[in-house]
């Protein structure tokens, strides 16, 4: 059922209260009936007792005298109580006219016992106390009846009130329920209204936190915390887009200006070649940058699609070192590799791991002056494989060590302006490591060199 919470709460409230009222009236009805029964039983028993005392006093004076006394007593009872008395032989000593007309069959009883039953006498209902009494050695059977009509009328009146009051009470309960649910949902509506106004332009706005420490306060605080996270992500994306556009604008401007200048007038072939080489170099850098941007965008979208397979880091590092050696040769750097004699198995995406290692080796080469040294080492304990890429380069200021893994972050921009790069390599390296359940960290001494540590969980074997 697609009902608003307010309607559902009202409905529930009504249903619960309606059932409660029905149960309450039913219990009252039961109590009422029980109390009527007790009252009429008591009343008929009292009458029966009166007759027994009368018999005890008059039995010795003969039947006629008993009859006269019983008649007087019956006349005395103004509330419509009836009476009939039979002696041991079954001869009626006295019978009220209603008993005469109805002449019910008398139930059998043990001596000195009293039983109650309800019967119709002359179209009215009576509660009858039937007693077998022994007076001066003689047995009498007494029926003392009291009319139940006045009580039945009171019960009927109560039931009429019940029937009229129930729908009224349920209606009142519905109105009260509607009002109450509206009131308790007011803070929710306020949250909805504020939330509807929050958009990309005012992501810093927060929901008003209600005073009482209840679920709504918890909900508001949770939503505010979520908004804070969304705002932070949004800021990161905005910053990323701004940085990416900025970094792309520079090489595009270089390509365009170089081409424009070259074409302004006719030049010797040598100058054209120079211009084209610059354009080519810048294009390669730009396409690297685009490739990195694409990787990070895919990573953000969770669409990187890594294929995790058993991978021997030992064999793989050897391949990467060969590539690194080509890079290092230009700067007369030496690269050494220290690995154990056994394979080191991890589960990983071969292309991604290759890229991760190449980023670190490329950086080591890039930030190490001519004649320096770079060492790649691999070791393993029970849980982790540890790769360290160490160089004797320019080092990283301590204050920058934490942020170099952020996107577009370059340590000490003044120093690295000469070195090509956009500050995306380590962000990609960190993402790849995390995707493999590993960690990456850096240690460095300014002017002495840096070490990058990668720890990846080992897998049992191939
Ligand atoms: P890029 O090299 O393109 O600038 P990275 O994300 O790979 O981007 O590196 C971020 C920054 O960390 C670099 O700009 C540099 O300042 C610093 N850095 C990374 N590796 C080294 C290293 N081996 N030696 C010194 N500084 C480094």
């Amino acid at each position: 059922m697609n009902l608003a919470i307010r309607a559902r709460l009202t409905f529930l409230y009504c249903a619960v209260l309606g059932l409660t009222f029905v149960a309450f009236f039913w219990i009252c009805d039961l109590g009422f009936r029980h109390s009527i029964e007790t009252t009429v039983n008591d009343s008929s028993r009292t009458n029966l007792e009166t007759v027994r005392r009368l018999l005890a006093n008059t039995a010795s004076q003969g039947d006629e005298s008993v009859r006269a006394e019983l008649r007087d007593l019956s006349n005395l009872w103004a509330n419509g109580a009836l009476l009939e008395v039979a002696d041991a032989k079954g001869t009626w000593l006295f019978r009220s006219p209603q008993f005469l007309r109805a002449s019910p069959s008398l139930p059998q009883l043990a001596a000195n016992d009293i039983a109650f039953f309800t019967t119709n006498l002359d179209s009215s209902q009576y509660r009858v106390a039937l007693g077998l009494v022994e007076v001066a050695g003689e047995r009498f059977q007494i029926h003392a009846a009291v009319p139940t009509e006045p009580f039945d009328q009171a019960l009927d009146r109560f039931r009429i009130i019940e029937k009229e009051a129930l729908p009224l009470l349920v209606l009142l309960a519905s109105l009260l329920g509607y009002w109450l649910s509206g009131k308790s949902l007011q803070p929710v509506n306020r949250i909805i209204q504020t939330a509807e106004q929050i958009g990309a332009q005012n992501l810093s706005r927060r929901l008003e936190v209600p005073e009482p420490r209840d679920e709504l306060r918890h909900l508001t605080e949770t939503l505010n915390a979520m908004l804070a996270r969304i705002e932070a992500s949004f800021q990161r994306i905005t910053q990323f887009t701004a940085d990416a556009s900025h970094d792309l604008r520079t090489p595009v401007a270089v390509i365009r200006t170089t081409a424009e200048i070259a074409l302004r007038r006719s030049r010797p072939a040598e100058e054209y070649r120079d211009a084209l080489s610059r354009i080519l170099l810048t294009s390669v850098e730009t396409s690297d940058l685009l490739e990195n941007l694409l990787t990070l965008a895919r990573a953000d979208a969770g669409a990187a699609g890594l294929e995790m397979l058993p991978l021997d880091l030992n064999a793989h590092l050897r391949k990467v070192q060969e590539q690194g050696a080509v890079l290092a040769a230009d700067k007369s750097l030496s690269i050494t590799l220290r690995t154990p004699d056994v394979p080191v198995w991890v589960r990983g995406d071969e292309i991604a791991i290759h890229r991760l290692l190449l980023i670190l080796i490329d950086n080591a080469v890039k930030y190490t002056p001519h004649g320096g040294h770079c060492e790649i080492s691999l070791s393993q304990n029970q849980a982790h494989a540890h790769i360290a890429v160490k160089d004797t380069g320019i080092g990283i200021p301590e204050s920058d060590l934490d942020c170099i893994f952020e996107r577009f972050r370059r340590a000490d921009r003044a120093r690295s302006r000469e070195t090509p790069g956009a500050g995306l390599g380590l962000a990609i390296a960190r993402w790849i490591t995390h995707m493999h359940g590993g960690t990456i960290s850096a240690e460095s001494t300014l002017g002495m060199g840096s070490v990058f540590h990668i720890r990846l969980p080992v897998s049992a074997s191939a």
Side-chain angles (χ1 to χ4, degrees), residues 292 359-368 389-397 400-401 403-413 415-417 419-429 442-444 446 449-452:
N292 285 344
I359 288 171
L360 296 187
I361 295 170
D362 185 43
N363 276 352
V365 172
K366 217 160 54 171
Y367 298 106
T368 303
V389 181
K390 187 175 172 188
D391 63 56
T392 55
I394 57 171
I396 304 162
D400 288 333
L401 271 178
C403 66
I404 48 172
F405 295 98
E406 304 290 326
R407 297 171 185 191
F408 296 106
R409 287 297 186 85
R410 308 195 74 198
D412 194 347
R413 282 187 168 259
R415 283 187 312 120
S416 47
R417 196 170 290 157
T419 335
L424 292 178
L426 288 182
I428 294 173
E443 288 174 78
S444 186
L446 208 54
S450 318
V451 196
F452 284 82

Side-chain angles (χ1 to χ4, degrees), residues 119 186 215 221 267 273 277 286 319 365 424 431 449 453:
T119 187
Q186 249 171 26
E215 288 83 351
E221 284 171 347
R267 296 170 187 278
R273 202 170 293 121
S277 325
T286 314
K319 279 193 242 165
V365 172
L424 292 178
W431 168 72
H453 300 278

Side-chain angles (χ1 to χ4, degrees), residues 161-237:
I161 293 171
E162 265 180 11
K163 278 195 193 108
E164 283 170 0
L166 189 68
L168 205 74
L169 283 172
V170 171
L171 182 76
L172 270 177
S174 321
L175 292 176
L176 192 72
Y178 190 70
W179 177 76
L180 269 180
S181 47
K183 201 162 165 50
S184 48
L185 284 173
Q186 249 171 26
V188 178
N189 288 333
R190 271 203 299 277
I191 293 176
I192 294 173
Q193 276 164 13
T194 319
E196 274 173 351
Q197 287 162 14
I198 298 178
Q201 313 308 319
N202 58 350
L203 261 182
S204 55
R205 199 168 156 191
R206 293 291 175 270
L207 304 170
E208 194 186 317
V209 180
E211 272 300 317
R213 299 198 155 273
D214 54 12
E215 288 83 351
L216 279 179
R217 187 187 172 114
H218 189 193
L219 173 73
T220 321
E221 284 171 347
T222 310
L223 287 176
N224 277 345
M226 187 184 78
L227 277 173
R229 286 198 299 276
I230 293 176
E231 187 189 6
S233 306
F234 193 76
Q235 268 171 3
R236 267 203 305 276
I237 294 169

Side-chain angles (χ1 to χ4, degrees), residues 229-285:
R229 286 198 299 276
I230 293 176
E231 187 189 6
S233 306
F234 193 76
Q235 268 171 3
R236 267 203 305 276
I237 294 169
T238 319
Q239 186 65 40
F240 181 64
T241 317
D243 288 344
S245 325
H246 177 266
D247 277 40
L248 278 172
R249 208 171 47 189
T250 316
V252 170
V254 170
I255 291 171
R256 185 179 165 174
T257 325
T258 313
E260 275 173 359
I261 292 172
L263 290 173
R264 205 165 279 166
R265 58 183 171 79
S266 68
R267 296 170 187 278
E270 192 60 25
E271 282 186 28
Y272 283 126
R273 202 170 293 121
D274 276 357
L276 282 175
S277 325
R278 205 167 324 136
I279 287 173
L280 179 66
L281 188 72
T282 318
S283 310
V284 170
E285 278 173 21

